[in-house]
Amino acid sequence: MTASPAHASVIWDGDPALGTKVFGTTLCDSPGSVTVGNWNDGHGSFFRFDKPAGSTSRCEGHNVRMPNGEEYAWENNRTYWFGWDSMTKTGDTGCVFQWKSNGTNAQHSQNYPVLMKVEGGRLKAWYVATGEEWILIGSTPWSAGEWHSIQLGIATSSSGSGTLNVYKDGVKFASRSNARTWDNLGNKPRWGTYFGTDNTKASIHWVAGPKLGTARADVL
């Protein structure tokens, strides 16, 4: 008897035990760092995105790299689901996820159509439309120092018919329809910590078990 795969639609499994090579690249200025750890507490391995106190730069894992060594080729008019466990050192970690547009300056119209930020002890999800129009699509309490389960669904659309759905700890707290979720040159994901409302403290974001699939069930 042979067993069928448990998640036939999983596209990418970013197991931290494999190291940072599961990302397309890491973007983290010294003395910041992206490392892998495991506290042997049953939660498994994790990525640690560490932006020291006083730093205003970013510390992120950019895009996903497939087992064959190539970066994933994202497409317009597709549905993608991301899932990961997240913990932050403070309630003001800043940007913890970006659906970042490719290109620079005039090459894109939105820069980052989807952002997730931890600030003021809350997790906030934003849809950023063309013209840098920031639209808050949901907000939920966030407990620093505790693991939270996140799932984010993006239906990509350059014509403005895309959708967004975000869950925290099993509860949907943000959604948006009729969204432009695919920019001029396409988009890629980023996890980590960027900016923040309190740069006097170290900003640390731990990410465990990141996955990419075609349905929410794939990335739970």
Side-chain angles (χ1 to χ4, degrees):
M1 180 179 295
T2 59
S4 299
H7 300 295
S9 297
V10 171
I11 298 171
W12 169 79
D13 184 349
D15 184 355
L18 298 175
T20 58
K21 67 180 182 181
V22 300
F23 297 113
T25 188
T26 56
L27 307 169
C28 191
D29 294 337
S30 179
S33 62
V34 183
T35 56
V36 173
N38 191 322
W39 291 318
N40 298 313
D41 59 355
H43 200 91
S45 299
F46 52 78
F47 296 106
R48 184 178 188 266
F49 299 92
D50 187 350
K51 186 164 70 70
S55 172
T56 57
S57 64
R58 69 181 74 244
C59 194
E60 299 174 308
H62 176 56
N63 204 12
V64 306
R65 191 174 296 279
M66 306 302 287
N68 64 3
E70 297 181 359
E71 294 189 32
Y72 182 69
W74 304 91
E75 298 178 20
N76 191 17
N77 300 313
R78 286 282 307 275
T79 296
Y80 297 109
W81 276 90
F82 302 94
W84 68 94
D85 287 349
S86 178
M87 180 168 64
T88 63
K89 182 178 177 66
T90 73
D92 291 296
T93 302
C95 186
V96 294
F97 178 89
Q98 297 185 68
W99 181 234
K100 175 70 173 175
S101 299
N102 296 324
T104 59
N105 301 323
Q107 292 179 313
H108 53 61
S109 298
Q110 289 172 279
N111 197 357
Y112 28 61
V114 185
L115 286 175
M116 295 173 65
K117 300 175 71 175
V118 172
E119 58 183 9
R122 300 189 71 84
L123 175 64
K124 301 176 181 179
W126 300 84
Y127 165 58
V128 185
T130 55
E132 197 73 11
E133 181 187 4
W134 285 59
I135 302 168
L136 183 66
I137 61 172
S139 174
T140 186
W142 184 265
S143 299
E146 297 181 8
W147 286 107
H148 298 282
S149 172
I150 307 294
Q151 294 91 44
L152 164 64
I154 301 176
T156 61
S157 170
S158 60
S159 65
S161 60
T163 60
L164 303 169
N165 290 283
V166 195
Y167 291 75
K168 189 205 81 172
D169 297 333
V171 178
K172 183 160 70 172
F173 75 95
S175 63
R176 173 80 182 193
S177 58
N178 299 319
R180 186 178 187 269
T181 53
W182 186 258
D183 206 0
N184 306 344
L185 300 178
N187 297 80
K188 295 182 178 72
R190 292 184 180 184
W191 292 264
T193 172
Y194 185 36
F195 284 126
T197 57
D198 186 358
N199 289 324
T200 66
K201 299 176 183 177
S203 179
I204 303 175
H205 181 199
W206 294 270
V207 174
K211 289 183 175 63
L212 167 66
T214 59
R216 183 171 173 245
D218 299 329
V219 299
L220 289 173

